[in-house]
Amino acid sequence: MGEDTIKNIHYLVMKGIDKEFAGRYRLNNVVISGSKHVPLSYIQVTSEMEKMLAWYDDVKEKLHPIELAALFHFKFVYIHPFRDGNGRTARLLMNLILMQHGYSPAIVKEVIE
């Protein structure tokens, strides 16, 4: 898993919705509608993504694949690196990790209250 994979998946998810920003880290601060979590400043996105990918490389052979996929998903959405499409991209990346280890994809429904 690397930055190119993440950006390519985001591009594929978003190219028909917001092609200008598809596959590109956000260049502004964002809020998540309906959430109390305030994502990191856009200034921190690149360095936090680098840290997350270094973490992934360090633990990918040590953690159980299900735990790895879940933690990767959590860390990704916490950083919220893109302007839009973070949840969709996170779920695809989580399933990529699961499938690389022989597991079936997990179906996670979004809950909007």
Side-chain angles (χ1 to χ4, degrees):
M1 177 83 58
E3 186 177 53
D4 287 344
T5 299
I6 291 169
K7 287 182 173 183
N8 285 336
I9 288 174
H10 184 262
Y11 177 80
L12 291 171
V13 168
M14 297 301 295
K15 69 181 181 179
I17 299 168
D18 190 1
K19 191 169 187 175
E20 180 182 355
F21 296 101
R24 295 177 43 207
Y25 291 152
R26 60 186 165 89
L27 298 174
N28 60 321
N29 290 328
V30 294
V31 295
I32 304 169
S33 180
S35 175
K36 293 179 183 177
H37 172 63
V38 178
L40 303 170
S41 167
Y42 74 94
I43 294 168
Q44 298 171 281
V45 167
T46 299
S47 65
E48 291 300 313
M49 289 299 289
E50 288 170 0
K51 288 178 192 174
M52 183 191 73
L53 290 169
W55 165 85
Y56 175 80
D57 285 339
D58 185 51
V59 302
K60 65 184 176 185
E61 303 298 327
K62 299 173 187 171
L63 294 178
H64 188 282
I66 294 174
E67 183 179 12
L68 176 65
L71 287 172
F72 187 93
H73 180 279
F74 173 79
K75 289 175 180 291
F76 183 89
V77 294
Y78 185 85
I79 297 168
H80 214 78
F82 299 106
R83 185 173 116 144
D84 190 21
N86 291 285
R88 288 166 275 184
T89 302
R91 290 186 293 278
L92 288 169
L93 292 167
M94 176 186 69
N95 280 321
L96 176 60
I97 293 167
L98 290 172
M99 291 167 53
Q100 285 174 332
H101 289 88
Y103 287 88
S104 298
I107 308 220
V108 180
K109 293 184 180 185
E110 275 190 82
V111 177
I112 301 174
E113 295 180 15

